Amino acid sequence: DTGVSQDPRHKITKRGQNVTFRCDPISEHNRLYWYRQTLGQGPEFLTYFQNEAQLEKSRLLSDRFSAERPKGSFSTLEIQRTEQGDSAMYLCASSDRGEDTQYFGPGTRLTVL
Amino acid sequence: AQKITQTQPGMFVQEKEAVTLDCTYDTSDPSYGLFWYKQPSSGEMIFLIYQGSYDQQNATEGRYSLNFQKARKSANLVISASQLGDSAMYFCAMREGGSGGYQKVTFGIGTKLQVIP
């Protein structure tokens, strides 16, 4: 039984560069979520997919951020023209149809220099 | 108003003792769910326990129990027989809206628990 996986676990980039993160949910989970967590805070919701459809986006998700889940399985989160304020832990979670609990991956820690 | 309030930034507990982590919530939705997650220094959020707003009994999972007081809008986590491995950040979270549907979850800012040998 594999849990949610995320790649990479750590990413260091220079300001202005683009980065892409990948999330593989628990197999057969049709719901997938992205969160951002900054130091000293709890995770903040970014976006939600049900299968391949992106059904909800937070206003935290500026136009530099884009997320996809092309075949309803894995998802990618891309940040264009990164800024130092984007430095955070990016967490992915998935849940099954009819379930209340979201299961999280290990996160991708982004550092923008 | 904050949807989830965790007022204890840090807590200490002696190994093998019980500890209560506080959480209060704010919602006008009659259907909601409350969660506790543990986040060790590695960063992964580990699900601990869930309580639905219509559940009649307090949830329990092994050494974890959720003291749900609906009228007070509180959902405190009780950890019995603390172990050194319990040292971590603990987050209270709330789902609003019907069960099984879209799951927007709001998290508190967490409580750092340290277990002392």
Side-chain angles (χ1 to χ4, degrees), chain A residues 22-25 29 32 51-52 68-75:
Chain A
R22 176 178 170 128
C23 170
D24 287 86
H29 277 192
L32 187 147
N51 300 312
E52 65 276 8
E68 292 183 341
R69 193 181 183 199
K71 295 183 180 179
S73 56
F74 73 91
S75 175

Side-chain angles (χ1 to χ4, degrees), chain A residues 9 31 33 35 37 40-45 48 56 89 91 95 97-106 109, chain B residues 35 37 39 41-47 50 89 91 95 98-110:
Chain A
R9 296 290 306 277
R31 297 189 173 120
Y33 312 81
Y35 291 83
Q37 186 180 20
Q41 300 295 320
E44 295 175 291
F45 170 80
Y48 157 69
E56 185 83 12
M89 175 78 91
L91 293 161
S95 67
R97 183 181 297 108
E99 258 203 41
D100 288 309
T101 300
Q102 296 180 20
Y103 296 91
F104 283 79
R109 189 174 295 280
Chain B
F35 305 83
Y37 285 87
Q39 188 176 43
S41 55
S42 59
E44 184 171 357
M45 298 286 285
I46 302 167
F47 166 72
Y50 168 78
M89 285 292 291
F91 291 94
R95 163 195 60 76
S99 174
Y102 164 54
Q103 301 287 320
K104 182 170 183 178
V105 175
T106 305
F107 286 81
I109 64 170

Side-chain angles (χ1 to χ4, degrees), chain B residues 18-34:
Chain B
V19 64
T20 298
L21 306 183
D22 294 341
C23 173
T24 58
Y25 60 92
D26 183 30
T27 181
S28 57
D29 198 320
S31 178
Y32 55 90
L34 297 155

